[in-house]
Amino acid sequence: MAMYFQDLLLTLQNHWAKLGCIVTQGYDLEVGAGTMAPATFLRALGPEPWNVAYIQPSRRPADGRFGENPNRLFQHHQFQVILKPAPKNVQELYLDSIKAFGIDPLEHDIRFVEDDWESPTLGASGLGWEVWCDGMEITQFTYFQKCGGYECKPVAAELTYGLERIAMYLQGVDSLYDIEWVKGVKYGEVFHENEVEMSKYALHESDPVQLEMLFKSYETECKRLIDLGLPLPAYDYALKCSHAFNLLDARGAISVTDRAGYIKRVRDNAALCAKGYLKVRQKLDWPLCKTKWTVGEQLPMHEGKPASDAWKTVSFEEKEEKKEAPRG
Amino acid sequence: MAELLFELGTEELPARFVVPALDDLEKTFTEQCIALNIKHGAIRRFGTPRRLALLVADVAEKTDDVMKEVKGPSVKAAFDAAGAPTQPAIKFAESVKLPVDQLKKVSTPKGDYLMATVEEKGRRSFELLSDVLNLCTRKINFAKQMRWGDVEQSFGRPLQWIVALLGTEVVPVTYSDVKSGRVTRGHRFLSPAPITVEKPGDYEALLEKSNVIPDVAKRRALMIERIAAAAKKAGGTVLPDEALIDQVVNLVELPSPVVGTFEERHLDLPPEVLIQEMKSHQRYFSLTAADGKLLPKFIAVSNTPVKDEQLSIKGYERVLRARLTDGRFFFDEDRRMPLSAPERMEKLKRRSWIDKLGSMSEKTDRIRALGAFIAKAVGQTALIPTVERAATLCKADLNTGMVGEFPELQGVMGREYALHDKEPKEVALAIFEHYLPRGAGDGLPTQDAGAIIGLADRLDSLCGLFGIGKKPTGAKDDFALRRAAITFIRIVIARGYRFSLSAAIDESVSLLGAKLVDAKRKPTDPTVKDQLVEFFRGRLESTWKENHRADVVEAVLSAGFDDLACAQLRLEAISAYVSRPDFASLAATFKRVANIVEKQAKDITRDAVDPKKLTDEPEKALHAEVSKVSAAFTAAVQADDYAGAMAKVVPLKPFVDAFFDKVMVMAEDKALRENRVRLLMEIGGLFGTVADFSKIQAES
């Protein structure tokens, strides 16, 4: 039985929904990866449990290839799963998910190969693997260690499935434009023109002067909203900043020397949002902690105390100075 | 006595963590056993991506009883005037459970004290091992540690299980959210059921039955054997790659190689590109035919022998196909614009090398000028145009798509693209060879142009980084300058280049010019040259000492090493003499000459010996002999025949000995004295150009 692109999406959604994840929609702003959506970046912070699955359309202006490259896209789709705290059997849960869409580990060589991840624009980093299926990377599997400059306690597991790649594999096609979305309709018929136009815009036609202006005003707006105690809308502007930077970068409008400066500005905003978010959640007394919401197997502590206890004593007011410059 | 098994089960560890972690485990275990006096037999180690384990033979059931001496009160305080024991003495006797009359007395610098010898009972190893094994776990120093779940402790990857068995008993060990037991796991997919280990000796066989080869060496041998068999079946041989084997062996628990193919049309890509595409992302092994050429085939090592090999091979092939298509894209794109295109040169200007030392373009300019300087210095004037052209292009490939994707291919792509641009072959080869050797086992440049550019590039890095205060200190050598200097020396010596090192340093420093000057127009480090010369001396010393006597090395270095290749020849000549039976006494004689010259020479003008002032027979004879060999000696030195030169001075020995025996060097008469010293200076001046004999260790 053919596994259409949308069967893959639905299979993954159902798999994680059955295990107790909430299924939400991808974020409605331009992001480069599912990690940047607030449902990952912000929710990975603090002691509260969070188990979510969503499809995130992800824009990478520099990867635009005018619809000509069979393996690269301006916009691709990620299936993003966050499990916090990471369950003890997260690898098994993950393996069940790939079995669900038809990859049997007795028929294919499945391996977990070291791949650490770091996002300088988010002040975030994690350790984990790329999951290989017969030598092809099908998923990024990351244990978050740090986010917005803060240590992640507890640690969230992030699973990012590259949907187009997996679909190409399952359908045995060499170009992602040949993926059958549903019987009779190909990926190319849905998205090819989008790739052509978006690539033209990002690589040739965008207006760097205007983008730079936008970058600055988004940045200012983000800071203004932080000061008003509104970290969630502030984070929207941090994301817009990041996208403006990506567009400038794709256009070749940022010199090597200036690049680090831009990245730092995006990171600083993201860090402010992270702090603002934590402050608000703390004021609300970490509401999700009262839900006992878990997915998969959780084991009792045998030694020491839960890492998430660290948040009980954190005061964001006092640490203002220290946390101003989180490590990236 | 019992066997001990300690296994840490983890989620997949990075391949590079496995062996160092086993080293740490074994080291901590051994240290702790020594500290706690736990006797044990041989240790075996097991490691796969999912486990780190020690199997220890013959662990003593308990530690030995030991006799321990306990000091009590001073004798003065222990007995009263009548010699009866006081309260402190009685208390002490009670505490060590001995009658007072069995206490010994011991003298110390602070006076006499009571002392008791008590027996300390050994403890059960079982009880001690809990802490030992916990410490072993904590003290593994992973290159990167991580946390998981809701625990504070960290490890290389999340810990899943611990097996700790002494004999048949579980040793309690707790780490983070895991408690020890006797349950291990087999192959993740082939043998997913938990496995109960009854006793440590069963461990390896149980795992092998469960599709895991836990012994790294055994797994490695099996993998190599299976890869070779697969290669043979495919009609080829595996391209040797130890580093790849070391990596892949710890990516799998059960090595299961499969052979795949790629389209033949890709064989027109440079072999280095194909090999890199296969190994760097995919960890595939390349196959070669009998003629050494690459076959359009590869070997991938699966962890799982899958049900239908063909299905999974199709997957491996598909990934490589996408990569090769990408590689071909870069190769074609890159070749659209020559290496020498103004746009590429422009990009070099924007490519920073090292902050204070400017762009790659500036470095290229300096390499070109310094290369021409060195070519001239070594008498290769005709080669200057080739050196200059190759130097201009030597870093241009850094801005190509292919090198962007595979930095390891720098130089290789430069050569390929230069050939495509119809640059002269020597230029293309020099671009490639200036990076040689790139690592252990790599050859040196085979042609002069590449060798000379390589020297210029390395010397520029050395002078530049020393000049801005970034010389290596201790273990810190971020820019691999030690290797740069050693390679510089190796190339000079291998190619027999004769030139002045200090003059080349001067030239390099002057080319760096303003880069080494701070805002106040002062050199950032005025002692660059001295430091560098000293640095080169250190490298020569450590390299030479591997194969030569330390005092000989010192003697040769003290006589100068500005001409590196010449210093090497002198070293070899002297070293050849060292093994001769008469070397010790010969050295002693020359050392005596050298010592006197060193002490007296500073007060005496360097005039010629005045034959009229030679009074005694032995000094006349010596002078006559010196005059006889002097010209021949100098001729030999000029012909770089240092063995020959040494052979010329050896016959002087009996004359020198007779001179020291019979003639008083430190004569009362100043004129006589000075003349005698001058005679010794003349001899010293001869062999002093070869080596400083005062540095030789010899019986006097």
Side-chain angles (χ1 to χ4, degrees):
Chain A
M1 189 204 78
M3 170 73 59
Y4 296 116
F5 191 57
Q6 75 186 26
D7 295 332
L8 173 61
L9 316 185
L10 295 171
T11 306
L12 279 170
Q13 281 197 354
N14 284 332
H15 175 82
W16 293 105
K18 270 186 216 151
L19 288 167
C21 285
I22 57 167
V23 174
T24 68
Q25 302 304 311
Y27 204 52
D28 60 344
L29 288 181
E30 307 96 330
V31 294
T35 311
M36 302 179 80
T40 294
F41 177 75
L42 294 176
R43 295 288 185 169
L45 294 161
E48 295 174 276
W50 184 251
N51 300 287
V52 67
Y54 56 94
I55 298 161
Q56 183 64 58
S58 305
R59 295 176 185 227
R60 307 230 166 131
D63 280 357
R65 292 291 184 276
F66 308 94
E68 286 163 14
N69 183 307
N71 297 302
R72 263 184 221 246
L73 289 168
F74 169 90
Q75 179 192 268
H76 68 293
H77 296 81
Q78 295 185 339
F79 191 86
Q80 174 86 352
V81 179
I82 294 292
L83 303 171
K84 177 188 167 198
K88 192 74 189 165
N89 59 340
V90 55
Q91 281 185 301
E92 280 69 30
L93 298 181
Y94 166 75
L95 289 168
D96 287 344
S97 79
I98 67 169
K99 283 179 204 162
F101 60 67
I103 293 186
D104 178 352
L106 293 174
E107 289 179 352
H108 297 274
D109 182 48
I110 302 297
R111 263 185 287 167
F112 294 87
V113 180
E114 175 189 18
D115 190 31
D116 301 339
W117 166 84
E118 194 173 345
S119 164
T121 48
L122 294 178
S125 64
L127 273 71
W129 310 278
E130 45 183 53
V131 183
W132 282 10
C133 170
D134 299 329
M136 183 180 73
E137 180 192 345
I138 53 170
T139 307
Q140 276 290 136
F141 193 134
T142 308
Y143 288 99
F144 269 32
Q145 302 293 302
K146 204 176 253 189
C147 203
Y150 288 90
E151 294 279 339
C152 294
K153 293 179 175 185
V155 166
E158 178 196 58
L159 309 173
T160 305
Y161 301 74
L163 290 174
E164 283 84 357
R165 258 204 214 183
I166 296 174
M168 281 168 75
Y169 195 82
L170 294 173
Q171 297 184 7
V173 294
D174 279 338
S175 165
L176 50 89
Y177 294 107
D178 292 334
I179 295 169
E180 280 194 275
W181 196 295
V182 69
K183 193 172 189 321
V185 181
K186 289 190 171 165
Y187 192 96
E189 286 158 328
V190 182
F191 272 116
H192 186 266
E193 181 58 18
N194 190 62
E195 284 300 313
V196 174
E197 290 187 20
M198 290 297 187
S199 304
K200 271 189 191 158
Y201 166 71
L203 300 165
H204 297 326
E205 301 300 338
S206 70
D207 177 352
V209 177
Q210 196 199 25
L211 284 172
E212 202 182 328
M213 204 178 72
L214 286 173
F215 182 94
K216 274 188 196 143
S217 61
Y218 292 151
E219 187 186 32
T220 314
E221 186 67 349
C222 177
K223 292 212 161 70
R224 188 178 75 86
L225 293 168
I226 288 289
D227 290 342
L228 291 174
L230 297 171
L232 296 177
Y235 186 62
D236 278 2
Y237 282 93
L239 289 177
K240 283 170 178 289
C241 243
S242 166
H243 185 59
F245 163 73
N246 287 341
L247 284 171
L248 280 165
D249 202 24
R251 190 78 164 76
I254 294 175
S255 75
V256 183
T257 354
D258 292 344
R259 209 162 178 278
Y262 271 100
I263 290 175
K264 184 177 180 302
R265 283 160 74 185
V266 176
R267 180 173 65 236
D268 287 350
N269 273 351
L272 286 175
C273 296
K275 187 169 80 172
Y277 169 81
L278 284 166
K279 230 161 144 176
V280 169
R281 299 303 290 182
Q282 190 183 46
K283 246 180 226 153
L284 296 171
D285 198 20
W286 316 111
L288 284 170
C289 284
K290 299 177 185 91
T291 61
K292 308 285 173 220
W293 176 25
T294 60
V295 165
E297 202 181 305
Q298 307 287 330
L299 280 187
M301 296 297 306
H302 288 312
E303 198 189 25
K305 48 185 195 279
S308 51
D309 279 3
W311 298 102
K312 287 182 185 164
T313 50
V314 168
S315 164
F316 295 101
E317 313 299 337
E318 281 170 14
K319 290 204 170 171
E320 205 98 346
E321 287 305 308
K322 259 191 172 167
K323 289 286 176 188
E324 281 294 315
R327 281 184 288 155
Chain B
M1 285 202 289
E3 252 184 315
L4 170 73
L5 171 67
F6 182 51
E7 183 195 45
L8 295 163
T10 66
E11 295 175 16
E12 280 76 353
L13 288 168
R16 64 197 167 98
F17 286 11
V18 175
V19 172
L22 289 176
D23 292 342
D24 288 349
L25 259 186
E26 186 179 349
K27 180 166 170 270
T28 313
F29 182 80
T30 320
E31 281 171 4
Q32 285 299 307
C33 286
I34 291 170
L36 295 168
N37 222 343
I38 304 172
K39 295 214 171 79
H40 63 83
I43 299 180
R44 280 193 67 193
R45 310 153 25 131
F46 301 96
T48 76
R50 289 181 81 203
R51 66 201 78 234
L52 302 166
L54 297 181
L55 181 66
V56 188
D58 303 330
V59 177
E61 205 203 317
K62 55 194 247 341
T63 60
D64 293 340
D65 302 339
V66 280
M67 302 306 284
K68 221 175 145 185
E69 297 192 320
V70 185
K71 208 170 88 178
S74 70
V75 173
K76 229 167 51 194
F79 301 97
D80 60 19
T86 60
Q87 202 55 23
I90 294 166
K91 280 240 166 102
F92 175 63
E94 274 170 12
S95 76
V96 296
K97 300 190 181 77
L98 285 171
V100 174
D101 57 11
Q102 282 189 28
L103 295 174
K104 287 181 280 188
K105 288 176 190 167
V106 59
S107 302
T108 78
K110 287 183 181 171
D112 294 349
Y113 284 84
L114 286 186
M115 202 192 62
T117 306
V118 292
E119 186 179 46
E120 199 167 83
K121 285 282 177 202
R123 293 178 61 190
R124 285 185 65 211
S125 299
F126 183 83
E127 287 157 17
L128 296 170
L129 281 172
S130 262
D131 283 346
V132 170
L133 297 179
N134 190 291
L135 199 69
C136 285
T137 311
R138 274 167 209 284
K139 289 194 88 171
I140 299 177
N141 188 17
F142 293 104
K144 275 184 188 168
Q145 300 260 355
M146 63 167 282
R147 291 177 297 104
W148 64 93
D150 199 5
V151 299
E152 280 288 358
Q153 289 78 10
S154 57
F155 206 67
R157 280 295 180 271
L159 194 60
Q160 280 287 348
W161 73 86
I162 300 175
V163 175
L165 286 177
L166 183 63
T168 55
E169 264 186 293
V170 173
V171 180
V173 180
T174 307
Y175 189 79
S176 73
D177 53 355
V178 185
K179 271 187 168 171
S180 59
R182 58 171 75 245
V183 176
T184 183
R185 309 290 153 91
H187 188 282
R188 188 184 269 288
F189 304 119
L190 295 171
S191 311
I195 300 162
T196 304
V197 187
E198 292 302 333
K199 55 180 198 303
D202 299 346
Y203 177 72
E204 188 176 16
L206 275 174
L207 284 181
E208 289 186 359
K209 223 165 61 186
S210 306
N211 296 296
V212 172
I213 316 290
D215 183 311
V216 182
K218 211 166 165 181
R219 190 167 66 249
R220 193 175 196 278
L222 182 73
M223 185 175 95
I224 292 172
E225 185 191 311
R226 286 183 173 177
I227 289 177
K232 200 173 163 199
K233 221 172 122 192
T237 327
V238 186
L239 190 82
D241 191 336
E242 287 293 310
L244 187 59
I245 290 175
D246 284 339
Q247 192 187 18
V248 173
V249 75
N250 287 319
L251 277 174
V252 294
E253 297 207 286
L254 184 66
S256 317
V258 294
V259 179
T261 56
F262 58 86
E263 292 162 279
E264 250 176 74
R265 69 183 178 99
H266 290 308
L267 286 175
D268 67 334
L269 286 168
E272 290 93 340
V273 171
L274 291 169
I275 294 167
Q276 206 59 47
E277 291 275 10
M278 284 187 263
K279 93 168 189 187
S280 81
H281 294 293
Q282 300 306 133
R283 281 85 155 182
Y284 295 171
F285 291 87
S286 305
L287 291 181
T288 53
D291 61 2
K293 291 218 171 92
L294 279 187
L295 289 171
K297 293 182 181 184
F298 63 86
I299 291 184
V301 182
S302 296
N303 185 37
T304 310
V306 291
K307 285 179 190 158
D308 174 9
E309 239 179 46
Q310 287 313 314
L311 181 66
S312 116
I313 288 172
K314 256 167 67 184
Y316 283 122
E317 290 174 347
R318 177 195 304 277
V319 193
L320 185 61
R321 192 152 62 231
R323 294 226 181 266
L324 290 180
T325 310
D326 256 9
R328 171 160 298 282
F329 171 79
F330 288 132
F331 193 57
D332 292 340
E333 275 301 297
D334 288 346
R335 286 186 301 174
R336 281 192 195 182
M337 189 196 288
L339 280 181
S340 55
E343 205 179 319
R344 286 207 193 284
M345 293 294 127
E346 196 55 40
K347 274 189 178 169
L348 278 184
K349 282 187 192 155
R350 279 186 271 139
R351 190 183 188 94
S352 156
W353 173 47
I354 282 160
D355 238 0
K356 285 188 187 159
L357 298 174
S359 69
M360 264 302 166
S361 169
E362 291 172 282
K363 183 167 178 58
T364 302
D365 291 343
R366 293 193 302 265
I367 295 174
R368 184 172 48 236
L370 189 57
F373 174 89
I374 295 175
K376 197 170 163 220
V378 302
Q380 297 271 8
T381 322
L383 210 59
I384 289 178
T386 306
V387 167
E388 289 190 330
R389 182 65 182 164
T392 305
L393 301 177
C394 74
K395 305 292 179 191
D397 67 351
L398 292 179
N399 288 320
T400 61
M402 190 72 89
V403 176
E405 186 74 4
F406 298 111
E408 306 87 334
L409 292 179
Q410 63 180 15
V412 172
M413 297 326 296
R415 178 192 64 203
E416 295 300 319
Y417 294 149
L419 288 172
H420 177 262
D421 297 345
K422 304 268 183 305
E423 295 286 344
K425 272 197 186 121
E426 314 79 75
V427 169
L429 190 64
I431 293 172
F432 169 65
E433 290 200 334
H434 93 279
Y435 284 115
L436 298 186
R438 292 162 298 184
D442 213 356
L444 293 176
T446 62
Q447 305 287 319
D448 287 314
I452 288 168
I453 296 170
L455 293 179
D457 188 8
R458 290 180 180 92
L459 192 58
D460 178 68
S461 300
L462 284 161
C463 291
L465 288 157
F466 268 66
I468 57 169
K470 295 214 186 285
K471 68 171 181 176
T473 48
K476 213 167 120 65
D477 184 5
D478 293 342
F479 300 97
L481 294 180
R482 288 196 182 93
R483 205 182 62 209
I486 289 171
T487 307
F488 185 97
I489 294 166
R490 279 182 65 198
I491 293 174
V492 169
I493 289 169
R495 301 210 68 79
Y497 287 155
R498 308 298 295 272
F499 65 101
S500 159
L501 175 64
S502 54
I505 293 175
D506 283 339
E507 179 70 13
S508 177
V509 169
S510 100
L511 286 167
L512 280 154
K515 300 278 181 219
L516 305 187
V517 171
D518 66 15
K520 289 177 191 147
R521 307 200 56 78
K522 286 194 182 131
T524 38
D525 198 334
T527 60
V528 179
K529 183 178 174 186
D530 298 344
Q531 289 180 37
L532 254 182
V533 169
E534 194 52 36
F535 188 67
F536 269 99
R537 190 188 212 276
R539 306 286 78 69
L540 279 170
E541 197 179 317
S542 55
T543 315
W544 282 354
K545 278 184 181 166
E546 285 169 18
N547 301 313
H548 298 275
R549 249 171 63 171
D551 58 338
V552 173
V553 168
E554 193 52 41
V556 172
L557 285 173
S558 293
F561 56 92
D562 193 46
D563 179 345
L564 294 165
C566 164
Q568 173 80 21
L569 294 173
R570 286 164 22 225
L571 174 77
E572 282 161 13
I574 304 283
S575 268
Y577 265 84
V578 167
S579 50
R580 288 170 45 141
D582 57 345
F583 179 74
S585 68
L586 188 71
T589 301
F590 289 160
K591 188 182 165 86
R592 196 168 166 192
V593 174
N595 284 340
I596 293 173
V597 170
E598 201 186 325
K599 249 187 240 159
Q600 307 298 329
K602 54 183 181 297
D603 307 322
I604 296 172
T605 52
R606 280 206 160 269
D607 293 329
V609 176
D610 182 352
K612 281 177 235 147
K613 287 191 189 133
L614 298 169
T615 54
D616 299 8
E617 266 323 300
E619 58 180 330
K620 285 182 188 162
L622 178 59
H623 182 245
E625 208 55 32
V626 170
S627 312
K628 220 194 290 171
V629 303
S630 178
F633 178 90
T634 311
V637 165
Q638 272 164 5
D640 277 341
D641 176 13
Y642 296 98
M646 282 300 290
K648 295 284 181 293
V649 289
V650 169
L652 289 179
K653 179 178 156 53
F655 296 92
V656 178
D657 287 343
F659 170 81
F660 280 134
D661 259 4
K662 305 273 161 50
V663 183
M664 178 76 178
V665 181
M666 293 296 125
E668 293 273 330
D669 183 321
K670 190 176 174 232
L672 283 186
R673 185 170 75 233
E674 288 191 356
N675 204 43
R676 282 168 187 170
V677 172
R678 282 195 188 105
L679 177 54
L680 292 178
M681 281 164 75
E682 207 168 291
I683 302 166
L686 285 184
F687 55 69
T689 56
V690 182
D692 175 358
F693 272 83
S694 70
K695 299 289 192 285
I696 298 283
Q697 307 284 323
E699 69 248 38
S700 43

